[in-house]
PDB file of all heavy atoms in Angstrom:
ATOM      1  N   GLU C 412       1.683  -7.593   2.060  1.00  0.00           N
ATOM      2  CA  GLU C 412       1.577  -7.344   3.504  1.00  0.00           C
ATOM      3  C   GLU C 412       0.289  -6.590   3.852  1.00  0.00           C
ATOM      4  O   GLU C 412       0.211  -5.971   4.905  1.00  0.00           O
ATOM      5  CB  GLU C 412       2.797  -6.556   3.984  1.00  0.00           C
ATOM      6  CG  GLU C 412       4.111  -7.296   3.774  1.00  0.00           C
ATOM      7  CD  GLU C 412       5.309  -6.468   4.222  1.00  0.00           C
ATOM      8  OE1 GLU C 412       5.815  -5.674   3.402  1.00  0.00           O
ATOM      9  OE2 GLU C 412       5.726  -6.621   5.379  1.00  0.00           O
ATOM     10  N   LYS C 413      -0.710  -6.665   2.979  1.00  0.00           N
ATOM     11  CA  LYS C 413      -1.955  -5.934   3.220  1.00  0.00           C
ATOM     12  C   LYS C 413      -2.661  -6.455   4.462  1.00  0.00           C
ATOM     13  O   LYS C 413      -2.951  -7.632   4.588  1.00  0.00           O
ATOM     14  CB  LYS C 413      -2.882  -6.051   2.013  1.00  0.00           C
ATOM     15  CG  LYS C 413      -4.188  -5.276   2.180  1.00  0.00           C
ATOM     16  CD  LYS C 413      -5.023  -5.287   0.912  1.00  0.00           C
ATOM     17  CE  LYS C 413      -5.618  -6.636   0.639  1.00  0.00           C
ATOM     18  NZ  LYS C 413      -6.537  -6.630  -0.514  1.00  0.00           N
ATOM     19  N   ASP C 414      -2.923  -5.542   5.378  1.00  0.00           N
ATOM     20  CA  ASP C 414      -3.708  -5.831   6.579  1.00  0.00           C
ATOM     21  C   ASP C 414      -4.367  -4.514   6.972  1.00  0.00           C
ATOM     22  O   ASP C 414      -3.733  -3.653   7.585  1.00  0.00           O
ATOM     23  CB  ASP C 414      -2.822  -6.360   7.708  1.00  0.00           C
ATOM     24  CG  ASP C 414      -3.619  -6.621   8.978  1.00  0.00           C
ATOM     25  OD1 ASP C 414      -4.860  -6.469   8.945  1.00  0.00           O
ATOM     26  OD2 ASP C 414      -3.007  -6.957  10.014  1.00  0.00           O
ATOM     27  N   LEU C 415      -5.619  -4.363   6.620  1.00  0.00           N
ATOM     28  CA  LEU C 415      -6.296  -3.082   6.814  1.00  0.00           C
ATOM     29  C   LEU C 415      -6.891  -2.931   8.209  1.00  0.00           C
ATOM     30  O   LEU C 415      -7.623  -1.977   8.467  1.00  0.00           O
ATOM     31  CB  LEU C 415      -7.390  -2.911   5.750  1.00  0.00           C
ATOM     32  CG  LEU C 415      -6.923  -3.077   4.302  1.00  0.00           C
ATOM     33  CD1 LEU C 415      -8.062  -2.778   3.340  1.00  0.00           C
ATOM     34  CD2 LEU C 415      -5.723  -2.201   4.004  1.00  0.00           C
ATOM     35  N   THR C 416      -6.558  -3.851   9.113  1.00  0.00           N
ATOM     36  CA  THR C 416      -7.084  -3.764  10.484  1.00  0.00           C
ATOM     37  C   THR C 416      -6.101  -3.108  11.447  1.00  0.00           C
ATOM     38  O   THR C 416      -6.440  -2.888  12.607  1.00  0.00           O
ATOM     39  CB  THR C 416      -7.424  -5.166  11.023  1.00  0.00           C
ATOM     40  OG1 THR C 416      -6.212  -5.933  11.146  1.00  0.00           O
ATOM     41  CG2 THR C 416      -8.390  -5.878  10.090  1.00  0.00           C
ATOM     42  N   THR C 417      -4.885  -2.804  10.972  1.00  0.00           N
ATOM     43  CA  THR C 417      -3.889  -2.183  11.844  1.00  0.00           C
ATOM     44  C   THR C 417      -3.275  -0.972  11.152  1.00  0.00           C
ATOM     45  O   THR C 417      -3.263  -0.880   9.915  1.00  0.00           O
ATOM     46  CB  THR C 417      -2.747  -3.161  12.198  1.00  0.00           C
ATOM     47  OG1 THR C 417      -2.010  -3.487  10.997  1.00  0.00           O
ATOM     48  CG2 THR C 417      -3.305  -4.444  12.809  1.00  0.00           C
ATOM     49  N   ILE C 418      -2.747  -0.050  11.954  1.00  0.00           N
ATOM     50  CA  ILE C 418      -2.062   1.125  11.410  1.00  0.00           C
ATOM     51  C   ILE C 418      -0.868   0.692  10.572  1.00  0.00           C
ATOM     52  O   ILE C 418      -0.640   1.197   9.469  1.00  0.00           O
ATOM     53  CB  ILE C 418      -1.593   2.056  12.553  1.00  0.00           C
ATOM     54  CG1 ILE C 418      -2.798   2.713  13.242  1.00  0.00           C
ATOM     55  CG2 ILE C 418      -0.644   3.123  12.020  1.00  0.00           C
ATOM     56  CD1 ILE C 418      -3.500   3.738  12.382  1.00  0.00           C
ATOM     57  N   GLU C 419      -0.089  -0.274  11.080  1.00  0.00           N
ATOM     58  CA  GLU C 419       1.093  -0.736  10.359  1.00  0.00           C
ATOM     59  C   GLU C 419       0.721  -1.363   9.020  1.00  0.00           C
ATOM     60  O   GLU C 419       1.342  -1.087   7.992  1.00  0.00           O
ATOM     61  CB  GLU C 419       1.864  -1.747  11.213  1.00  0.00           C
ATOM     62  CG  GLU C 419       3.145  -2.245  10.550  1.00  0.00           C
ATOM     63  CD  GLU C 419       3.878  -3.273  11.389  1.00  0.00           C
ATOM     64  OE1 GLU C 419       3.345  -3.679  12.448  1.00  0.00           O
ATOM     65  OE2 GLU C 419       4.977  -3.690  10.978  1.00  0.00           O
ATOM     66  N   GLY C 420      -0.318  -2.201   9.021  1.00  0.00           N
ATOM     67  CA  GLY C 420      -0.738  -2.855   7.786  1.00  0.00           C
ATOM     68  C   GLY C 420      -1.280  -1.876   6.770  1.00  0.00           C
ATOM     69  O   GLY C 420      -0.995  -1.981   5.571  1.00  0.00           O
ATOM     70  N   LEU C 421      -2.045  -0.895   7.233  1.00  0.00           N
ATOM     71  CA  LEU C 421      -2.585   0.113   6.329  1.00  0.00           C
ATOM     72  C   LEU C 421      -1.464   0.977   5.763  1.00  0.00           C
ATOM     73  O   LEU C 421      -1.468   1.333   4.578  1.00  0.00           O
ATOM     74  CB  LEU C 421      -3.611   0.983   7.066  1.00  0.00           C
ATOM     75  CG  LEU C 421      -4.314   2.068   6.242  1.00  0.00           C
ATOM     76  CD1 LEU C 421      -4.967   1.481   5.006  1.00  0.00           C
ATOM     77  CD2 LEU C 421      -5.344   2.783   7.098  1.00  0.00           C
ATOM     78  N   THR C 422      -0.490   1.311   6.612  1.00  0.00           N
ATOM     79  CA  THR C 422       0.657   2.101   6.159  1.00  0.00           C
ATOM     80  C   THR C 422       1.413   1.377   5.056  1.00  0.00           C
ATOM     81  O   THR C 422       1.769   1.976   4.034  1.00  0.00           O
ATOM     82  CB  THR C 422       1.608   2.385   7.340  1.00  0.00           C
ATOM     83  OG1 THR C 422       0.907   3.129   8.337  1.00  0.00           O
ATOM     84  CG2 THR C 422       2.819   3.184   6.874  1.00  0.00           C
ATOM     85  N   LYS C 423       1.655   0.084   5.247  1.00  0.00           N
ATOM     86  CA  LYS C 423       2.397  -0.689   4.239  1.00  0.00           C
ATOM     87  C   LYS C 423       1.605  -0.791   2.929  1.00  0.00           C
ATOM     88  O   LYS C 423       2.188  -0.752   1.843  1.00  0.00           O
ATOM     89  CB  LYS C 423       2.702  -2.082   4.777  1.00  0.00           C
ATOM     90  CG  LYS C 423       3.781  -2.075   5.855  1.00  0.00           C
ATOM     91  CD  LYS C 423       4.081  -3.481   6.357  1.00  0.00           C
ATOM     92  CE  LYS C 423       5.192  -3.444   7.388  1.00  0.00           C
ATOM     93  NZ  LYS C 423       5.486  -4.798   7.935  1.00  0.00           N
ATOM     94  N   THR C 424       0.288  -0.908   3.038  1.00  0.00           N
ATOM     95  CA  THR C 424      -0.539  -0.972   1.835  1.00  0.00           C
ATOM     96  C   THR C 424      -0.524   0.357   1.094  1.00  0.00           C
ATOM     97  O   THR C 424      -0.441   0.396  -0.140  1.00  0.00           O
ATOM     98  CB  THR C 424      -1.988  -1.354   2.202  1.00  0.00           C
ATOM     99  OG1 THR C 424      -1.981  -2.532   3.009  1.00  0.00           O
ATOM    100  CG2 THR C 424      -2.815  -1.611   0.954  1.00  0.00           C
ATOM    101  N   LEU C 425      -0.588   1.464   1.841  1.00  0.00           N
ATOM    102  CA  LEU C 425      -0.509   2.788   1.226  1.00  0.00           C
ATOM    103  C   LEU C 425       0.842   3.000   0.551  1.00  0.00           C
ATOM    104  O   LEU C 425       0.923   3.549  -0.548  1.00  0.00           O
ATOM    105  CB  LEU C 425      -0.730   3.866   2.292  1.00  0.00           C
ATOM    106  CG  LEU C 425      -2.183   4.167   2.663  1.00  0.00           C
ATOM    107  CD1 LEU C 425      -2.247   4.998   3.930  1.00  0.00           C
ATOM    108  CD2 LEU C 425      -2.884   4.902   1.533  1.00  0.00           C
ATOM    109  N   GLU C 426       1.905   2.568   1.223  1.00  0.00           N
ATOM    110  CA  GLU C 426       3.245   2.680   0.628  1.00  0.00           C
ATOM    111  C   GLU C 426       3.303   1.915  -0.687  1.00  0.00           C
ATOM    112  O   GLU C 426       3.835   2.415  -1.692  1.00  0.00           O
ATOM    113  CB  GLU C 426       4.297   2.124   1.596  1.00  0.00           C
ATOM    114  CG  GLU C 426       4.624   3.028   2.757  1.00  0.00           C
ATOM    115  CD  GLU C 426       5.748   2.449   3.599  1.00  0.00           C
ATOM    116  OE1 GLU C 426       6.635   1.777   3.038  1.00  0.00           O
ATOM    117  OE2 GLU C 426       5.728   2.654   4.823  1.00  0.00           O
ATOM    118  N   PHE C 427       2.791   0.700  -0.688  1.00  0.00           N
ATOM    119  CA  PHE C 427       2.804  -0.118  -1.900  1.00  0.00           C
ATOM    120  C   PHE C 427       2.032   0.567  -3.017  1.00  0.00           C
ATOM    121  O   PHE C 427       2.514   0.659  -4.158  1.00  0.00           O
ATOM    122  CB  PHE C 427       2.191  -1.491  -1.596  1.00  0.00           C
ATOM    123  CG  PHE C 427       2.070  -2.387  -2.802  1.00  0.00           C
ATOM    124  CD1 PHE C 427       3.136  -3.186  -3.199  1.00  0.00           C
ATOM    125  CD2 PHE C 427       0.898  -2.425  -3.551  1.00  0.00           C
ATOM    126  CE1 PHE C 427       3.026  -4.000  -4.321  1.00  0.00           C
ATOM    127  CE2 PHE C 427       0.783  -3.238  -4.671  1.00  0.00           C
ATOM    128  CZ  PHE C 427       1.850  -4.029  -5.057  1.00  0.00           C
ATOM    129  N   GLU C 428       0.846   1.074  -2.715  1.00  0.00           N
ATOM    130  CA  GLU C 428      -0.007   1.671  -3.737  1.00  0.00           C
ATOM    131  C   GLU C 428       0.556   2.982  -4.292  1.00  0.00           C
ATOM    132  O   GLU C 428       0.323   3.312  -5.453  1.00  0.00           O
ATOM    133  CB  GLU C 428      -1.408   1.907  -3.173  1.00  0.00           C
ATOM    134  CG  GLU C 428      -2.262   0.660  -3.110  1.00  0.00           C
ATOM    135  CD  GLU C 428      -2.517   0.074  -4.494  1.00  0.00           C
ATOM    136  OE1 GLU C 428      -2.813   0.850  -5.419  1.00  0.00           O
ATOM    137  OE2 GLU C 428      -2.392  -1.154  -4.648  1.00  0.00           O
ATOM    138  N   THR C 429       1.291   3.734  -3.488  1.00  0.00           N
ATOM    139  CA  THR C 429       1.793   5.035  -3.943  1.00  0.00           C
ATOM    140  C   THR C 429       3.245   5.012  -4.389  1.00  0.00           C
ATOM    141  O   THR C 429       3.667   5.888  -5.145  1.00  0.00           O
ATOM    142  CB  THR C 429       1.645   6.087  -2.824  1.00  0.00           C
ATOM    143  OG1 THR C 429       2.266   5.606  -1.624  1.00  0.00           O
ATOM    144  CG2 THR C 429       0.192   6.388  -2.547  1.00  0.00           C
ATOM    145  N   LEU C 430       4.020   4.000  -3.962  1.00  0.00           N
ATOM    146  CA  LEU C 430       5.452   3.996  -4.261  1.00  0.00           C
ATOM    147  C   LEU C 430       5.892   2.855  -5.164  1.00  0.00           C
ATOM    148  O   LEU C 430       6.915   2.967  -5.850  1.00  0.00           O
ATOM    149  CB  LEU C 430       6.262   3.944  -2.955  1.00  0.00           C
ATOM    150  CG  LEU C 430       5.986   5.080  -1.954  1.00  0.00           C
ATOM    151  CD1 LEU C 430       6.824   4.872  -0.696  1.00  0.00           C
ATOM    152  CD2 LEU C 430       6.280   6.436  -2.566  1.00  0.00           C
ATOM    153  N   SER C 431       5.134   1.761  -5.174  1.00  0.00           N
ATOM    154  CA  SER C 431       5.520   0.617  -5.998  1.00  0.00           C
ATOM    155  C   SER C 431       4.983   0.772  -7.418  1.00  0.00           C
ATOM    156  O   SER C 431       3.885   1.290  -7.634  1.00  0.00           O
ATOM    157  CB  SER C 431       4.972  -0.677  -5.385  1.00  0.00           C
ATOM    158  OG  SER C 431       5.122  -1.760  -6.279  1.00  0.00           O
ATOM    159  N   ASN C 432       5.757   0.290  -8.369  1.00  0.00           N
ATOM    160  CA  ASN C 432       5.305   0.334  -9.762  1.00  0.00           C
ATOM    161  C   ASN C 432       4.106  -0.573 -10.004  1.00  0.00           C
ATOM    162  O   ASN C 432       3.422  -0.461 -11.022  1.00  0.00           O
ATOM    163  CB  ASN C 432       6.449  -0.079 -10.690  1.00  0.00           C
ATOM    164  CG  ASN C 432       7.545   0.973 -10.754  1.00  0.00           C
ATOM    165  OD1 ASN C 432       7.282   2.163 -10.580  1.00  0.00           O
ATOM    166  ND2 ASN C 432       8.775   0.534 -10.982  1.00  0.00           N
ATOM    167  N   GLN C 433       3.830  -1.505  -9.064  1.00  0.00           N
ATOM    168  CA  GLN C 433       2.669  -2.380  -9.190  1.00  0.00           C
ATOM    169  C   GLN C 433       1.415  -1.770  -8.537  1.00  0.00           C
ATOM    170  O   GLN C 433       0.329  -2.333  -8.632  1.00  0.00           O
ATOM    171  CB  GLN C 433       2.942  -3.747  -8.541  1.00  0.00           C
ATOM    172  CG  GLN C 433       3.855  -4.665  -9.335  1.00  0.00           C
ATOM    173  CD  GLN C 433       5.313  -4.208  -9.271  1.00  0.00           C
ATOM    174  OE1 GLN C 433       5.836  -3.936  -8.191  1.00  0.00           O
ATOM    175  NE2 GLN C 433       5.957  -4.144 -10.427  1.00  0.00           N
ATOM    176  N   GLY C 434       1.586  -0.624  -7.891  1.00  0.00           N
ATOM    177  CA  GLY C 434       0.455   0.003  -7.223  1.00  0.00           C
ATOM    178  C   GLY C 434      -0.503   0.651  -8.212  1.00  0.00           C
ATOM    179  O   GLY C 434      -0.083   1.391  -9.110  1.00  0.00           O
ATOM    180  N   GLU C 435      -1.782   0.382  -8.063  1.00  0.00           N
ATOM    181  CA  GLU C 435      -2.778   0.929  -8.980  1.00  0.00           C
ATOM    182  C   GLU C 435      -2.865   2.454  -8.866  1.00  0.00           C
ATOM    183  O   GLU C 435      -3.028   3.158  -9.862  1.00  0.00           O
ATOM    184  CB  GLU C 435      -4.149   0.305  -8.692  1.00  0.00           C
ATOM    185  CG  GLU C 435      -5.241   0.745  -9.662  1.00  0.00           C
ATOM    186  CD  GLU C 435      -6.580   0.114  -9.364  1.00  0.00           C
ATOM    187  OE1 GLU C 435      -6.673  -0.659  -8.393  1.00  0.00           O
ATOM    188  OE2 GLU C 435      -7.543   0.397 -10.106  1.00  0.00           O
ATOM    189  N   ILE C 436      -2.754   2.974  -7.647  1.00  0.00           N
ATOM    190  CA  ILE C 436      -2.828   4.429  -7.450  1.00  0.00           C
ATOM    191  C   ILE C 436      -1.672   5.122  -8.142  1.00  0.00           C
ATOM    192  O   ILE C 436      -1.850   6.110  -8.860  1.00  0.00           O
ATOM    193  CB  ILE C 436      -2.842   4.765  -5.942  1.00  0.00           C
ATOM    194  CG1 ILE C 436      -4.150   4.285  -5.308  1.00  0.00           C
ATOM    195  CG2 ILE C 436      -2.690   6.270  -5.720  1.00  0.00           C
ATOM    196  CD1 ILE C 436      -4.224   4.478  -3.797  1.00  0.00           C
ATOM    197  N   LYS C 437      -0.466   4.582  -7.942  1.00  0.00           N
ATOM    198  CA  LYS C 437       0.703   5.199  -8.579  1.00  0.00           C
ATOM    199  C   LYS C 437       0.590   5.127 -10.102  1.00  0.00           C
ATOM    200  O   LYS C 437       0.854   6.129 -10.791  1.00  0.00           O
ATOM    201  CB  LYS C 437       1.990   4.504  -8.130  1.00  0.00           C
ATOM    202  CG  LYS C 437       3.232   5.084  -8.805  1.00  0.00           C
ATOM    203  CD  LYS C 437       4.513   4.413  -8.350  1.00  0.00           C
ATOM    204  CE  LYS C 437       5.709   4.991  -9.081  1.00  0.00           C
ATOM    205  NZ  LYS C 437       6.985   4.356  -8.662  1.00  0.00           N
ATOM    206  N   ALA C 438       0.187   3.981 -10.624  1.00  0.00           N
ATOM    207  CA  ALA C 438       0.093   3.818 -12.080  1.00  0.00           C
ATOM    208  C   ALA C 438      -0.890   4.814 -12.679  1.00  0.00           C
ATOM    209  O   ALA C 438      -0.623   5.425 -13.729  1.00  0.00           O
ATOM    210  CB  ALA C 438      -0.329   2.388 -12.408  1.00  0.00           C
ATOM    211  N   THR C 439      -2.018   5.026 -11.997  1.00  0.00           N
ATOM    212  CA  THR C 439      -3.034   5.956 -12.504  1.00  0.00           C
ATOM    213  C   THR C 439      -2.527   7.387 -12.480  1.00  0.00           C
ATOM    214  O   THR C 439      -2.687   8.132 -13.460  1.00  0.00           O
ATOM    215  CB  THR C 439      -4.318   5.829 -11.657  1.00  0.00           C
ATOM    216  OG1 THR C 439      -4.779   4.479 -11.713  1.00  0.00           O
ATOM    217  CG2 THR C 439      -5.399   6.757 -12.189  1.00  0.00           C
TER     218      THR C 439
END
């Protein structure tokens, strides 16, 4: 659901990166 042009899309991308096991930020 990555869409960096909207607040909602950026929020969902941040959630994925920090909360999902597939997120690069969380894994690091």
